[in-house]
Amino acid sequence: MNNTLLIISREYLTRVKKKSFIILTLVVPILFAALMVVPVLLATKGREHVNVMVVDDNDIYINNFTDDAKTSFSYRSGDIEQIKKEALAGDYDVVLYFPRSSQKVNANLYYTEEPSMYLRSELESQINSLFFDYVLQDSFNIDLDKYNTIKDLSRSQITMIQIDENGVEKESMAELNKTIGMICGFVIYFFIFLFAGQVLRGVLEEKNNRIVEVLISSVKPIELLLGKIVGIALVGLTQFLIWIVFTLVILTAVQFAMPDKFMEMSGVDTEQIMESVKDSQLIETVNTSKMAAGDTFDTGNIFAEISSYFPISFTEMILCFLFYFLTGYLVYSALFAAVGSAADNETDSNQLTMPITMPLLLTIVMVMPIADNPNGQLAFWLSIIPLTSPVAMLTRLPSGVPLWELLLSMVLMLLFFVFVVWFAAKIYRTGILMYGKKVSWKEIWKWVRYQ
């Protein structure tokens, strides 16, 4: 045990002191924060106030467009060439022109500086809606008020209600559960391969530098293997924790430095946002039971409101994520370490790791079907088999998994880890001291059988 702790300490301290570790630890949070902040800033910049001059030779759209916080419409009639020059040289950003046509909607958008995609989308949406209303009135003599009333009355809404083993009913957001499950599956897949790959490269580096010959004379192969796996796991967890903390610090600093930029995303002030949220169909659905009891929507407890939709709590989700990340990493890092000991270079190791990585690659390909049908036979078996369960089970969890299936998956994962360490140690003991020979799977199997 003392030897294993020494190896863990060596692996950890050696790697955290590297310049590459320090640089990556500092750069990645900046990139994470940039990925979150830059789209916000670009979207905010793209939604600056726009003045639109509308010219319609068909007299369909005159005085019919709806202004909002970011778009204002004005109207003129006459020669389009003259209007273009005057409008674009004056206070208008774009000129929306409808040439005379009896067949379909034709529109030209003139500008000097290219407008945002948001403006184009907004204009197309309003044009389609206005032309549809025009056709209803002009061609079919349908009263718009009556039509809108019928359309509102004919809208259907299906509320997803899940009944647990105790008969308790709970509203559920199937699409949200599916999305979160897919994200968790992809994230755990990424981290397992990221940190397990470090074990493979570490074994190859020590083998090529002949450092392992000195180490193996003082410690048992299994102690060396476990020390390397656990040491690199601690490095990964340390780096991951620093990334989270630094990213939150950067985002908090940016939000305090530019609060107006983030509020501009909505186009309205805070009171308008809250009124809009309270009036929305989503919040009305969320709080049906509370409103019936005379309660109001508690914006300070938003996470509690959201978590009420999930069959599994956030705490359980985090604990399960940590369990499957650690066990998945330990299993694949042990297998990668065994492969690294049997190979002499990275090219050979890539060929040997391909069969090992196929189960996890297959699972990531099947993430969509698993999320679509989390209780199907495919999802069940992939979440039980240890080599595929980290991704499959994390994909299923937000939609709800029976407790016995979760416990069975966890027990099998732990038992499989013990088997994999024993299996990898037998390969590691022989392969780590072999040089200059390209090893086949047949020969590796002989190492396992005859030792």
Side-chain angles (χ1 to χ4, degrees):
M1 179 60 71
N2 290 335
N3 290 334
T4 303
L5 293 176
L6 288 174
I7 295 169
I8 292 173
S9 176
R10 173 187 173 274
E11 289 290 337
Y12 182 82
L13 295 176
T14 300
R15 294 177 181 276
V16 298
K17 291 179 181 179
K18 287 183 178 180
K19 290 183 179 179
S20 58
F21 175 87
I22 298 173
I23 293 173
L24 192 63
T25 302
L26 296 177
V27 170
V28 169
I30 298 175
L31 294 177
F32 282 166
L35 289 174
M36 300 176 190
V37 173
V38 171
V40 174
L41 297 179
L42 291 177
T44 313
K45 181 180 179 180
R47 290 205 58 190
E48 294 176 351
H49 193 277
V50 178
N51 292 316
V52 182
M53 172 62 71
V54 179
V55 181
D56 182 13
D57 291 344
N58 304 285
D59 294 330
I60 297 175
Y61 303 98
I62 298 298
N63 298 322
N64 285 328
F65 282 93
T66 303
D67 295 349
D68 62 21
K70 293 295 182 181
T71 312
S72 298
F73 295 91
S74 300
Y75 307 88
R76 280 186 61 180
S77 299
D79 180 48
I80 183 60
E81 297 299 328
Q82 183 65 27
I83 294 175
K84 279 192 300 183
K85 294 178 181 178
E86 294 177 357
L88 296 178
D91 298 329
Y92 295 93
D93 302 289
V94 297
V95 174
L96 181 62
Y97 173 55
F98 296 90
R100 186 169 298 280
S101 174
S102 59
Q103 297 294 329
K104 58 182 180 179
V105 180
N106 291 318
N108 298 327
L109 189 66
Y110 300 99
Y111 54 85
T112 55
E113 295 183 3
E114 185 172 350
S116 66
M117 291 298 296
Y118 169 82
L119 176 65
R120 178 178 175 179
S121 176
E122 180 191 15
L123 292 176
E124 288 179 346
S125 177
Q126 290 207 45
I127 291 171
N128 292 336
S129 177
L130 291 172
F131 188 73
F132 182 78
D133 291 346
Y134 169 77
V135 171
L136 287 179
Q137 287 181 306
D138 185 68
S139 300
F140 300 99
N141 295 320
I142 296 176
D143 184 84
L144 287 181
D145 292 334
K146 292 181 179 180
Y147 170 78
N148 289 327
T149 301
I150 295 173
K151 185 169 68 173
D152 291 337
L153 292 174
S154 62
R155 285 177 178 168
S156 61
Q157 179 182 353
I158 297 177
T159 301
M160 307 290 287
I161 301 177
Q162 186 174 24
I163 304 176
D164 62 17
E165 298 175 353
N166 299 321
V168 178
E169 298 182 0
K170 179 185 292 187
E171 293 185 15
S172 173
M173 285 183 169
E175 291 300 322
L176 184 60
N177 296 345
K178 172 183 173 181
T179 302
I180 292 178
M182 292 176 62
I183 292 173
C184 290
F186 280 109
V187 169
I188 199 169
Y189 167 83
F190 170 77
F191 281 113
I192 285 175
F193 271 107
L194 175 66
F195 297 124
Q198 292 184 21
V199 175
L200 174 62
R201 288 188 294 271
V203 171
L204 284 173
E205 181 182 351
E206 289 184 351
K207 183 175 180 179
N208 292 330
N209 294 337
R210 303 296 179 95
I211 297 175
V212 70
E213 295 179 3
V214 178
L215 295 174
I216 209 72
S217 63
S218 304
V219 298
K220 296 178 180 179
I222 192 161
E223 291 177 337
L224 181 59
L225 178 63
L226 286 176
K228 182 172 291 293
I229 291 173
V230 175
I232 295 178
L234 293 176
V235 173
L237 290 174
T238 301
Q239 194 170 51
F240 188 52
L241 180 61
I242 294 174
W243 285 348
I244 294 175
V245 173
F246 277 16
T247 302
L248 292 176
V249 169
I250 293 172
L251 290 175
T252 303
V254 171
Q255 188 170 2
F256 274 109
M258 298 183 294
D260 295 338
K261 289 291 184 181
F262 292 90
M263 288 306 299
E264 286 177 7
M265 284 294 293
S266 62
V268 295
D269 59 24
T270 307
E271 294 181 0
Q272 290 175 317
I273 293 174
M274 294 312 303
E275 290 298 324
S276 176
V277 170
K278 288 180 181 179
D279 293 338
S280 69
Q281 187 176 4
L282 174 61
I283 299 303
E284 181 180 351
T285 305
V286 174
N287 293 280
T288 301
S289 59
K290 290 189 176 184
M291 289 181 178
D295 295 338
T296 58
F297 181 71
D298 182 9
T299 57
N301 198 23
I302 184 67
F303 291 106
E305 297 289 342
I306 295 175
S307 64
S308 65
Y309 270 88
F310 295 96
I312 185 170
S313 70
F314 287 155
T315 303
E316 292 176 279
M317 192 72 188
I318 292 172
L319 292 176
C320 289
F321 183 91
L322 290 175
F323 173 84
Y324 281 102
F325 164 69
L326 289 174
T327 54
Y329 159 77
L330 292 173
V331 166
Y332 277 93
S333 61
L335 293 173
F336 278 23
V339 167
S341 68
D344 279 338
N345 52 66
E346 194 167 346
T347 302
D348 292 342
S349 69
N350 290 335
Q351 294 175 356
L352 293 174
T353 55
M354 182 58 66
I356 297 173
T357 58
M358 285 302 295
L360 209 55
L361 290 172
L362 173 65
T363 314
I364 205 68
V365 171
M366 302 301 293
V367 160
M368 184 73 74
I370 293 172
D372 282 334
N373 187 15
N375 296 311
Q377 289 296 312
L378 174 66
F380 170 77
W381 286 110
L382 289 178
S383 62
I384 295 300
I385 299 172
L387 286 173
T388 60
S389 60
V391 173
M393 185 57 79
L394 262 296
T395 305
R396 293 182 62 198
L397 271 177
S399 299
V401 176
L403 181 60
W404 73 268
E405 292 185 17
L406 181 61
L407 293 178
L408 176 61
S409 175
M410 288 181 169
V411 170
L412 290 177
M413 197 71 191
L414 291 173
L415 294 176
F416 188 71
F417 165 65
V418 175
F419 166 76
V420 165
V421 170
W422 168 83
F423 180 83
K426 300 192 76 171
I427 300 174
Y428 189 87
R429 180 171 56 183
T430 301
I432 199 67
L433 296 175
M434 293 188 64
Y435 300 93
K437 182 180 179 181
K438 191 169 184 178
V439 180
S440 64
W441 280 107
K442 184 177 180 180
E443 186 167 357
I444 291 175
W445 178 243
K446 288 181 180 179
W447 299 348
V448 176
R449 289 182 60 190
Y450 297 116
Q451 294 186 30

